[in-house]
């Protein structure tokens, strides 16, 4: 896989996959680019994972983790007086950490998931689009899967999440 991702610049196009990935990540996403354009984007992404960048991100990871711990301490103190036990969804917690780290490192934006102990609207929009992409790829022959402009509940939800994500992040890029 490493050899292919580093050197292979022409891949077989799968139209169905490409269409839905474009709707999710936009037409210039690394998953669908080919040739020289793919090489340029791949090189830029590769630099993002260099040793210096990773080293600089350590403090962000520490800060996000510390925020999460402080938020949990506060929530525990608030709920200790009540008889209702505090239940923590580990998967949701890991997602909050990842989203906050990504927001701070990629967009210099604090999405405050760990502070509020809940997903931000941007995180919810991204998750909605991820689930929509998975659903469409799992059901390629369903008529409503292919057409994003049909007035279905899934398409309205997709459009709303995509619009929120694009407009929220456009000024950060």
């Amino acid at each position: 896989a490493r050899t292919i991702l580093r050197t292979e610049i022409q891949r077989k196009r799968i139209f169905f996959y490409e269409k839905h990935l474009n709707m999710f990540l936009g037409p210039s996403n690394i998953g669908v680019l080919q040739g020289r354009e793919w090489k340029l984007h791949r090189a830029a992404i590769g630099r993002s994972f260099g040793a210096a960048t990773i080293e600089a991100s350590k403090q962000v990871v520490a800060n996000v983790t510390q925020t999460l711990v402080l938020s949990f301490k506060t929530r525990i103190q608030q709920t200790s007086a009540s008889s209702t036990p505090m239940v923590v969804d580990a998967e949701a917690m890991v997602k909050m950490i990842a989203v906050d780290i990504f927001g701070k490192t990629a967009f210099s934006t604090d999405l405050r998931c760990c502070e509020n102990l809940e997903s931000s609207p941007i995180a919810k929009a991204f998750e909605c689009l991820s689930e929509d992409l998975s659903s469409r790829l799992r059901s390629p022959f369903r008529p409503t899967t292919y057409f994003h402009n049909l007035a279905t509940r899934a398409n309205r939800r997709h459009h709303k999440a995509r619009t929120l994500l694009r407009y929220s992040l456009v000024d950060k890029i």
Side-chain angles (χ1 to χ4, degrees):
R2 176 180 281 183
T3 301
I4 291 170
L5 289 174
R6 285 191 173 171
T7 60
E8 184 65 34
I9 60 173
Q10 290 298 120
R11 293 175 304 282
K12 183 178 178 184
R13 289 186 177 271
I14 302 170
F15 181 73
F16 182 78
Y17 171 76
E18 190 172 320
K19 176 185 177 35
H20 293 304
L21 204 57
N22 283 346
M23 289 300 293
F24 178 44
L25 297 173
S28 295
N29 73 75
I30 193 77
V32 297
L33 292 177
Q34 299 274 337
R36 183 170 178 233
E37 199 175 15
W38 175 82
K39 270 188 146 176
L40 291 171
H41 280 76
R42 195 230 169 263
I45 290 170
R47 286 189 298 275
S48 299
F49 292 98
T53 308
I54 300 295
E55 185 64 35
S57 299
K58 283 182 180 178
Q59 190 58 49
V60 171
V61 173
N63 291 345
V64 167
T65 306
Q66 186 175 23
T67 299
L68 181 70
V69 170
L70 291 173
S71 296
F72 271 127
K73 282 182 179 179
T74 302
R75 180 73 56 91
I76 289 168
Q77 290 169 350
Q78 292 170 349
T79 59
S80 65
S82 74
S83 59
T84 307
M86 183 174 151
V87 178
V88 177
D89 179 351
E91 180 183 5
M93 182 181 64
V94 170
K95 283 181 182 179
M96 287 187 292
I97 293 169
V99 166
D100 277 357
I101 291 169
F102 182 73
K104 285 184 176 188
T105 56
F107 299 106
S108 301
T109 300
D110 188 357
L111 297 173
R112 304 177 104 110
C113 296
C114 291
E115 183 179 321
N116 299 325
L117 294 178
E118 65 182 26
S119 291
S120 70
I122 291 174
K124 288 177 184 174
F126 189 81
E127 188 161 347
C128 174
L129 291 174
S130 297
E131 290 170 0
D132 183 69
L133 175 65
S134 294
S135 172
R136 289 175 192 267
L137 292 176
R138 280 191 310 268
S139 305
F141 300 112
R142 189 175 31 171
T144 56
T145 294
Y146 187 76
F147 300 103
H148 288 267
N149 56 350
L150 292 176
T152 65
R153 184 178 301 147
N155 285 344
R156 285 191 296 273
R157 200 170 40 245
H158 175 96
H159 179 72
K160 183 179 177 183
R162 187 170 189 245
T163 301
L164 173 73
L165 203 55
R166 297 277 187 264
Y167 287 114
S168 297
L169 300 178
V170 75
D171 62 335
K172 308 293 183 199
I173 298 174

